Amino acid sequence: QGGRNPRAHLQRCFRILYCYCSSVAKNAFSKSIPVKTSMLTNADDYLIHQLPVPATTPGTTDRNFYERYYFEGYSPDGDTFVIVTQGVYPLLNLTDAAFMIQRDGIQHSIFSSRHLNYERLDMRVAPIEVRVLEPLKKLAVIVEPNEYEISAEITLTGRTAPVEDERLILTDGPRVIMDTFRLVQHMDWQGRIEAFGKTIDLKGWCGMRDRSWGIRQIGIRDPQPLVPPRPLPLFWLGGPQTYDDCGVYFHAMDDEQGRVRSRMCVLHAVDGSAPQRIENVSFKLTYRSGTRLITKAEVRGQLPDGGEVLIEYFPEELVSMQGAGFGHPVWSPGMYHNDHEHCSQTFDMRELDPNSPQNSHLLHLCRARLHLPGGSTREGRATLEQAVYGPHAPSGFKGFDDVAP
């Protein structure tokens, strides 16, 4: 094809190809080329990464991945109780928070939500904000003045070192419903709350915090459940106790036959000594007739040296966890709302139907008593969280509608 001088013809072809490519390149770069949106955030400047991706990307593609703060605190007489939560849901690009205060059986709650904008270090969900002052030691909760006439400036300081809880895993067939890890810590509360038209001084207040992350159901329920669809039983107890010189944290998760899914009971001294794990834990519950409400709980176990421990809970007042968003029909954690949305709610606990399935997640404000080896006894305060949904053979519940005789 090059005639008598194929070399010259080949050179002409290269010149034509060069001119064509130059023209294409010039036209291409004269137009705006879209740039991939950056996923970098302030967190990427900290040495915290566990994957070769920006910190906005969790190590799972499960939309139900979350991280959450949970704080609870009560006055020395147990008359006033507060819950504060804040959660982030990176794969939904949402964050939300709740502040609930209960007094004389009346709950007042503030719920707030906004777009996360992938920035997980921005923990303000107006008007609520959690601040880390000293990691694993001291945090603050701020509720800015607002139209709901509830505000707060709270400092929470660890009475004990944080303790790693056991990893909790719950499955429905092959599907993971819960896979979470958390730390728990007894806390002293200081500061003030403006509510009920008065200032509440938090001197002498105590409580605990639960800092958890992992996978659990958030936001809208899965529209296509595992087949054949069936309700998933759940039995959960959680009961942190506060005494002058120590604290106790206890939880139990069972299957419907009463077989142990998870047990943990730890005695924390406030003098800085190492926590002691209580082993061979068992519990006994008394229910109110015609309901599933717990009226007394006893927990037994053994210290590492073999000494016997007895922990008693005496419930006095009931708290609906919907006041903190859990199980709420509208403000459940991870539900979508417009950006920078917030509202308030007031609920009278005397109107609670304890046998409604939507009220199966409850918390009791309790007096507590701790019996240690050698006859030593402590009197204190505690909360006892219960979620008893569906069959539980040790309690005598064979179905979802059964109640105590």
Side-chain angles (χ1 to χ4, degrees), residues 264-310:
M264 184 174 179
C265 193
V266 180
L267 175 64
H268 314 245
V270 300
D271 61 5
S273 58
Q276 298 184 73
R277 181 74 177 253
I278 300 174
E279 301 290 354
N280 303 319
V281 176
S282 63
F283 59 87
K284 179 182 177 181
L285 303 177
T286 303
Y287 294 95
R288 181 189 301 173
S289 179
T291 73
R292 294 191 176 199
L293 295 179
I294 296 172
T295 57
K296 187 179 179 182
E298 296 181 356
V299 178
R300 296 180 182 271
Q302 292 180 324
L303 290 171
D305 62 6
E308 298 288 332
V309 175
L310 169 62

Side-chain angles (χ1 to χ4, degrees), residues 83-205:
I83 294 178
V84 184
T85 72
Q86 191 203 346
V88 299
Y89 319 100
L91 295 175
L92 300 180
N93 197 26
L94 296 174
T95 180
D96 53 27
F99 182 93
M100 186 276 289
I101 181 168
Q102 180 168 318
R103 193 171 193 175
D104 299 325
I106 307 297
Q107 288 186 353
H108 299 274
S109 303
I110 298 175
F111 302 108
S112 59
S113 175
R114 68 170 175 83
H115 297 170
L116 179 62
N117 297 320
Y118 305 107
E119 184 53 79
R120 291 162 72 176
L121 293 185
D122 182 359
M123 295 186 289
R124 182 173 179 268
V125 193
I128 302 168
E129 180 180 3
V130 175
R131 299 175 183 171
V132 178
L133 304 180
E134 294 182 55
L136 303 181
K137 293 182 180 180
K138 183 180 292 186
L139 299 96
V141 172
I142 306 298
V143 182
E144 300 168 342
N146 53 72
E147 62 266 43
Y148 311 122
E149 299 182 349
I150 297 176
S151 61
E153 293 182 4
I154 305 169
T155 301
L156 302 103
T157 305
R159 302 183 75 231
T160 61
V163 172
E164 296 180 12
D165 200 346
E166 291 185 347
R167 185 173 178 178
L168 298 177
I169 300 176
L170 179 64
T171 60
D172 182 12
R175 183 175 296 187
V176 175
I177 305 299
M178 176 189 294
D179 184 359
T180 65
F181 181 85
R182 64 181 179 172
L183 64 86
V184 292
Q185 187 174 21
H186 293 272
M187 310 293 287
D188 284 325
W189 286 46
Q190 294 179 316
R192 61 168 185 82
I193 298 174
E194 303 285 346
F196 315 111
K198 60 180 65 176
T199 299
I200 301 172
D201 187 350
L202 303 184
K203 183 179 180 180
W205 278 48

Side-chain angles (χ1 to χ4, degrees), residues 165-171 177-182 215-216 232-239 249-265 281-283 285 385-389 391-392 394:
D165 200 346
E166 291 185 347
R167 185 173 178 178
L168 298 177
I169 300 176
L170 179 64
T171 60
I177 305 299
M178 176 189 294
D179 184 359
T180 65
F181 181 85
R182 64 181 179 172
I215 296 168
R216 67 168 66 207
L232 187 64
L234 176 65
F235 180 90
W236 166 266
L237 290 178
Y249 175 73
F250 158 75
H251 85 240
M253 179 187 283
D254 287 359
D255 71 5
E256 54 264 47
Q257 300 301 320
R259 292 173 298 213
V260 175
R261 281 196 170 118
S262 179
R263 287 279 193 283
M264 184 174 179
C265 193
V281 176
S282 63
F283 59 87
L285 303 177
E385 180 187 10
Q386 71 166 91
V388 184
Y389 180 67
H392 185 243

